[in-house]
Amino acid sequence: MSIDDVTIILVTSVLPSHPSTKIIDETIKSIRYHFPKNEIIMQIDGLRDERLNRKADYDEYKNKMLWKCLHEDQNILPIIFNEHSHQSTMMFKTMDLIKTPMLLYVEGDAPLEKEYIDWNKCINMINNGFANTIRFHFESSIPKEHNHLMYGLENGFMKTTQWSQRPHLSSVEYYKNVILPNVPQKTFIEDTIHGYIQEDCKH
């Protein structure tokens, strides 16, 4: 298995900065720094009822992104959700579009660091059963309140039961068989799964 066996899931929803595309443009650039040609499936969420006052700005943002997908960016498949679906429902509804064994989940406002990552080492860790998911830590240090969920360095990786939706690499089968069956519809994935992972690892 290699870097070509990774599909990027890029999630976007309404932000105060819309209709500007500056934030997601930076995130896409960071993805392309590491994955120049891989398919990106862009999940574009609908609006909550309480955000309908942002509809004009968000519609303009979506139109800009669709234009970019057609004319500027390569190999990006935009999936528009007409009603608010949130992370879990968007994943349920797009899993079957992923044709690779690995996925990299990236939130639209959480770009990857533009520095060297040994992706083949990461892929082999998961493929060989040493990890279910590899998370790329967004903060410069581990928060003190998470220290009890860290279990030491091994081969350059920190073992942990602390789940976050920040950028992470995972197998598609793990998402299908473990993550999505244990999260409700229309919710942040981490809101439910962080507790499930901690309990699962106790056993």
Side-chain angles (χ1 to χ4, degrees):
M1 209 176 293
S2 72
I3 197 169
D4 294 331
D5 295 306
V6 179
T7 297
I8 292 84
I9 302 298
L10 177 60
V11 188
T12 184
S13 57
V14 68
L15 294 175
S17 60
H18 292 159
S20 169
T21 64
K22 182 178 179 180
I23 292 175
I24 199 163
D25 288 344
E26 179 59 34
T27 301
I28 292 172
K29 284 180 183 178
S30 77
I31 292 169
R32 288 303 184 215
Y33 176 85
H34 296 280
F35 298 89
K37 298 179 180 179
N38 295 51
E39 182 174 40
I40 297 173
I41 297 177
M42 183 186 293
Q43 300 173 344
I44 305 173
D45 203 0
L47 285 172
R48 297 174 182 267
D49 290 342
E50 62 269 26
R51 296 286 186 89
L52 289 176
N53 63 320
R54 299 296 318 284
K55 186 176 187 304
D57 285 340
Y58 195 46
D59 284 348
E60 184 179 345
Y61 165 77
K62 289 190 288 185
N63 286 337
K64 287 180 178 179
M65 290 313 303
L66 290 174
W67 191 93
K68 286 172 178 284
C69 289
L70 283 171
H71 301 289
E72 290 185 2
D73 299 308
Q74 299 294 315
N75 207 13
I76 299 181
L77 174 64
I79 307 294
I80 296 177
F81 291 81
N82 292 322
E83 61 179 34
H84 176 65
S85 300
H86 225 322
Q87 291 179 349
S88 60
T89 298
M90 289 195 293
M91 280 301 293
F92 276 114
K93 292 187 175 181
T94 55
M95 282 301 297
D96 289 342
L97 297 174
I98 303 172
K99 305 305 180 187
T100 58
M102 293 277 176
L103 66 85
L104 177 71
Y105 191 100
V106 181
E107 294 172 312
D109 58 352
L112 295 164
E113 292 292 330
K114 292 181 180 178
E115 57 185 38
Y116 176 73
I117 296 173
D118 190 339
W119 291 105
N120 287 324
K121 184 176 180 180
C122 294
I123 289 166
N124 288 333
M125 280 283 290
I126 295 173
N127 193 43
N128 293 329
F130 293 109
N132 296 312
T133 297
I134 295 176
R135 171 188 167 200
F136 302 94
H137 212 268
F138 197 68
E139 296 80 12
S140 59
S141 61
I142 296 170
K144 289 182 179 178
E145 57 268 25
H146 292 166
N147 281 341
H148 70 288
L149 301 171
M150 305 296 159
Y151 301 97
L153 286 169
E154 186 174 306
N155 194 25
F157 295 88
M158 173 67 74
K159 294 190 291 184
T160 182
T161 57
Q162 198 270 323
W163 181 275
S164 172
Q165 270 326 100
R166 292 299 191 178
H168 59 275
L169 182 72
S170 190
S171 75
V172 172
E173 285 303 309
Y174 185 66
Y175 250 80
K176 284 183 176 179
N177 297 332
V178 177
I179 301 303
L180 292 182
N182 288 289
V183 294
Q185 296 281 343
K186 295 187 177 181
T187 188
F188 282 115
I189 292 172
E190 68 182 20
D191 280 358
T192 301
I193 208 65
H194 76 94
Y196 174 83
I197 295 298
Q198 290 170 34
E199 289 301 311
D200 187 49
C201 288
K202 285 180 183 179
H203 300 294

